[in-house]
């Protein structure tokens, strides 16, 4: 069953495309009913508009807080056309039906994210009339079309031109989208007010008793981790900083599920290094990290760690990718590159690799860990604040007889920054400018120590070692010492710390305890 669309109510905060859409509705003979700024815009564009105040016989009041909250609006939306009593009630009250509702809501999330806005400014962005109209139209979707997204304007016009009404399947789809829209909107308000209500526990303010999520689909993905899994990528509308979600894709195939995870992991480590860095990630783990005076050098140092694993990985650069860097990248197969920008020369060079994904971030200084770190489990959701970088390693406690040299301090800092981004149990061997061997994801720490040594293509004599958690026994340290390392950074905290420190002193190593572990599961 379909209802002929004779009257449309338009009240939008985001007015992009609305004049063109309304003009097409007018050409189809549909009466336009509108409010406030939307009505003014349409009238200024030469369109005939019935003001809501004229329809209700009641002027807007309370500085616009009350405009559409009136029976002559909501009865026209909610009346079931096949219900004889409903239609008789409308006729008795001389209330015309409203067959199409085009509403998008106040920009609450954007306003709440603006540090210049006061609490009062943000509260005024809590929409009341808009969600009420949207929910009413969505509830009565059998008779009323509801549009909350400008991206749906073309489909609505196509249906109206073909039949003078909206197909039932489209009305149902629009209703589902409308309820998702109001649910996400209310979730954003609830989350913001929960934070404000607990200023004394600001760090935990987002861990409210009820966690409401507001993510909007950015794109469907070809498949998930594996071809038999369906997948999509959802964007946090509050996210403002540099991220995979906000990056601009310059070329290459669409991003896959695994690409997005790897790009995010590479970007997170690159942002923590913050200068002259290049990171290569494969299956969620860094397989090479380098620091260089130019991006080509940094890439070469990162690649030297484990070129076999780097094949088919993703690359993140902290500096703009230039011609020489592009030439080096073009020499092998990689899934993609993410960087603040790409020079014109680099774009031309990498265009030859037509499937290579290029993501342009903008300034890396805009990278922020926002919101919560969320992980889904069957029947529930884990939420935590993000694992933020530590104070400098030099502020740690030297527990051995020997103190690190300046070069060892630099290498320890670099290794410790990298190990935070490696899956546990994690061991990183490095010098001051690059990783030398990475042991990741083993069930015992000594096996990670051995794996990092096996992966190293060069001697580890004089290298630094970082462990993401304490050594439960001295065996991991002994294994690394036999390979030639001279300096170690680890959290400490084991009941056998004294044994591990004694082992370090026996072998002439220097060891720094920083007091905080960094497991990644």
């Amino acid at each position: 069953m379909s209802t002929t669309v004779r009257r449309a109510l338009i009240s939008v905060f985001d007015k992009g495309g609305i004049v063109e859409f309304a003009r097409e509705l007018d050409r189809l003979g549909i009466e336009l009913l509108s409010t406030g700024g939307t009505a003014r815009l349409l009238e200024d564009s030469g369109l005939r508009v019935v003001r809501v105040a004229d329809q209700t016989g009641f002027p807007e009041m309370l500085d616009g807080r009350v405009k559409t909250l009136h029976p002559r609006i909501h009865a026209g939306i909610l009346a079931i056309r096949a219900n004889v009593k409903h239609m008789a009630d409308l006729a008795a009250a001389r209330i015309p039906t409203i067959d199409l509702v085009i509403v998008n809501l106040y920009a609450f999330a954007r306003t709440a994210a603006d540090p210049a806005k006061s609490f009062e400014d943000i509260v005024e962005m809590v929409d009341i009339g808009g969600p009420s109209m949207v929910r009413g139209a969505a509830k009565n979707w059998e008779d009323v079309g509801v549009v909350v997204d400008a991206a749906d304007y073309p489909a609505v016009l196509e249906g109206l031109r073909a039949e003078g009404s909206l197909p039932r399947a489209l009305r149902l789809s629009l209703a589902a989208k409308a309820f998702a829209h109001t649910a996400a909107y209310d979730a954003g308000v609830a989350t913001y007010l929960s934070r404000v209500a607990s200023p004394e526990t600001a760090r935990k303010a987002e861990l409210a008793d009820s966690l409401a999520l507001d993510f909007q689909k950015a794109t469907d993905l070809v498949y998930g981790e594996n071809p038999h899994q369906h997948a999509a990528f959802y964007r946090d509308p509050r996210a403002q900083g540099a991220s995979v979600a906000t990056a601009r894709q310059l070329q290459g195939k669409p991003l896959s599920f695994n690409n997005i995870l790897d790009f995010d992991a590479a970007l997170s480590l690159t942002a923590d290094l913050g200068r002259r860095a290049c990171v290569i990630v494969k299956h969620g783990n860094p397989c090479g990290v380098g620091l260089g005076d130019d991006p080509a050098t940094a890439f070469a140092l990162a690649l030297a760690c484990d070129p076999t694993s780097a094949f088919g990985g993703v690359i993140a650069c902290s500096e703009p990718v230039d011609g020489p860097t592009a030439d080096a990248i073009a020499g092998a197969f990689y899934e993609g590159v993410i960087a603040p920008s790409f020079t014109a020369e680099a774009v031309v060079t990498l265009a030859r690799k037509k499937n290579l994904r290029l993501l342009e971030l903008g300034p890396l200084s805009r990278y922020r860990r926002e919101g919560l770190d969320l992980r889904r489990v069957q029947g529930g959701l884990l939420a935590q604040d993000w694992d933020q970088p530590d104070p400098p390693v030099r502020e740690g406690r030297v527990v051995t007889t020997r103190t690190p040299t300046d070069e060892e301090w630099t290498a320890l800092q670099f290794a410790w920054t990298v190990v935070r981004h490696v899956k546990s149990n994690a061991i990183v061997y490095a010098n001051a400018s690059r990783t030398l061997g990475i042991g990741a994801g083993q069930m015992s720490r000594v096996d990670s120590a051995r794996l990092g040594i096996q992966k190293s293509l060069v001697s580890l004599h004089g290298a630094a070692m970082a462990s993401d958690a304490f050594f439960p026994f001295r065996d991991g340290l002994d294994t690394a010492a036999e390979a030639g390392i001279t300096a170690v950074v680890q959290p400490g905290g084991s009941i056998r710390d004294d044994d591990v420190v004694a082992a370090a002193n026996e072998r002439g190593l220097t060891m720094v305890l920083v007091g905080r572990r960094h497991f990644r599961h």
Side-chain angles (χ1 to χ4, degrees):
M1 179 180 176
S2 62
T3 302
T4 300
V5 176
R6 297 184 176 89
R7 188 170 295 101
L9 191 157
I10 306 177
S11 180
V12 293
F13 186 84
D14 181 353
K15 296 175 174 57
I18 194 60
V19 171
E20 296 77 11
F21 182 56
R23 185 168 288 120
E24 291 302 311
L25 295 178
D26 183 65
R27 286 173 181 161
L28 292 167
I30 297 170
E31 182 180 89
L32 306 180
L33 181 63
S34 192
T35 62
T38 305
R40 285 193 298 274
L41 175 64
L42 298 180
E43 289 168 342
D44 291 345
S45 301
L47 291 166
R48 296 166 295 172
V49 175
V50 176
R51 293 274 185 151
V52 163
D54 295 331
Q55 174 79 2
T56 63
F58 205 93
E60 296 182 11
M61 62 184 299
L62 305 182
D63 298 320
R65 280 190 168 196
V66 177
K67 296 191 285 281
T68 58
L69 298 170
H70 195 281
R72 294 187 67 83
I73 298 300
H74 287 276
I77 294 171
L78 283 163
I80 298 173
R81 309 311 195 251
N83 186 308
V84 175
K85 184 178 185 303
H86 283 198
M87 299 312 290
D89 287 346
L90 289 190
R94 297 182 179 178
I95 298 175
T97 59
I98 296 171
D99 312 305
L100 182 61
V101 172
I102 303 103
V103 172
N104 58 55
L105 309 180
Y106 296 164
F108 179 86
R110 188 173 70 217
T111 305
D114 186 346
K117 298 296 184 181
S118 68
F119 178 72
E120 291 72 21
D121 292 334
I122 294 168
V123 167
E124 281 306 307
M125 284 290 107
V126 177
D127 204 332
I128 304 300
S132 298
M133 290 186 291
V134 168
R135 289 175 61 82
K139 176 178 180 176
N140 201 26
W141 66 270
E142 283 280 13
D143 294 314
V144 181
V146 56
V147 185
V148 296
D149 185 352
D152 293 317
Y153 292 169
V156 169
L157 290 174
E158 182 181 352
L160 292 173
R161 290 186 187 117
E163 303 179 27
S165 62
L166 298 181
R168 188 175 189 272
L170 178 58
R171 294 198 308 274
L172 180 56
S173 174
L174 291 172
K177 190 170 187 177
F179 278 119
H181 184 59
T182 57
Y185 189 86
D186 287 343
V189 176
T191 299
Y192 171 77
L193 292 178
S194 295
R195 294 174 191 159
V196 174
S198 305
E200 72 283 358
T201 55
R203 186 170 176 231
K204 296 182 178 179
E206 294 188 1
L207 298 172
D209 291 339
S210 177
L211 181 59
L213 303 180
D214 175 13
F215 289 81
Q216 298 171 358
K217 185 187 283 188
T219 184
D220 288 307
L221 301 174
V222 176
Y223 55 79
E225 283 185 287
N226 300 290
H228 61 275
Q229 294 174 271
H230 299 294
F233 181 41
Y234 291 82
R235 181 179 292 120
D236 184 347
R238 297 173 298 168
Q240 303 295 317
S243 68
V244 178
T246 59
R248 183 167 68 102
Q249 186 167 352
L250 302 182
Q251 72 163 50
K253 295 190 294 185
L255 295 177
S256 73
F257 188 98
N258 295 331
N259 288 157
I260 291 170
L261 291 173
D262 283 350
F263 272 126
D264 183 67
L267 176 58
S268 180
L269 174 50
T270 303
D272 282 355
L273 291 168
R275 60 181 182 84
R276 305 182 298 114
C278 180
V279 176
I280 306 172
V281 163
K282 184 77 168 289
H283 297 311
N285 274 309
C287 54
V289 185
L291 299 177
D293 291 333
D294 55 77
T297 300
F299 172 68
L301 291 171
L303 183 61
C305 179
D306 189 353
T308 300
S309 296
F311 183 83
V314 305
I315 302 164
C317 297
S318 65
E319 311 299 326
V321 173
D322 56 15
T325 312
D327 286 335
I329 291 171
F333 168 68
Y334 302 101
E335 288 284 349
V337 185
I338 189 167
S341 62
F342 296 80
T343 67
E345 182 183 0
V347 170
V348 170
T349 298
L350 295 174
R352 298 198 298 267
K353 313 279 286 188
K354 64 180 182 178
N355 290 330
L356 180 71
R357 302 160 177 90
L358 301 185
L359 298 185
E360 187 173 65
L361 278 171
L364 192 60
S365 59
R366 295 177 56 248
Y367 181 85
R368 301 285 186 275
R369 291 181 177 90
E370 300 171 307
L372 293 170
D373 181 6
L374 303 174
R375 303 185 198 183
R376 186 78 165 92
V377 297
Q378 188 62 38
L381 183 74
L382 292 167
Q384 63 179 350
D385 57 3
W386 290 99
D387 186 14
Q388 301 290 352
D390 293 326
V393 168
R394 281 180 181 266
E395 296 182 16
R397 182 164 58 98
V398 179
V399 291
T400 49
T401 303
R402 189 170 73 80
T403 298
T405 65
D406 286 344
E407 185 175 359
E408 285 173 332
W409 276 122
T410 302
L412 288 169
Q413 180 64 65
F414 177 59
W416 184 244
T417 302
V418 174
V419 83
R420 286 184 50 247
H421 296 264
V422 178
K423 299 292 178 66
S424 298
N425 287 312
I427 296 291
V428 170
Y429 300 107
N431 58 28
S433 61
R434 75 173 182 94
T435 52
L436 303 173
I438 298 174
Q442 301 304 301
M443 283 66 77
S444 69
R445 193 154 299 277
V446 66
D447 282 342
S448 288
R450 291 172 181 146
L451 178 60
I453 294 167
Q454 292 168 5
K455 298 287 285 183
S456 177
L457 300 178
V458 297
S459 169
L460 293 180
H461 284 281
M465 174 195 203
S467 173
D468 66 340
F470 62 65
F471 292 95
F473 304 98
R474 61 176 285 171
D475 52 0
L477 186 76
D478 286 330
T479 297
E482 289 167 7
I485 64 112
T486 61
V488 182
V489 57
Q490 56 131 328
S494 168
I495 60 173
R496 296 184 178 84
D497 271 355
D498 289 345
D499 293 343
V500 176
V501 172
N505 281 324
E506 286 173 20
R507 295 176 173 276
L509 308 183
T510 181
M511 179 180 290
V512 181
L513 303 187
V514 293
R516 190 161 74 164
R517 78 176 191 194
H518 291 285
F519 276 158
R520 291 180 67 83
H521 284 81

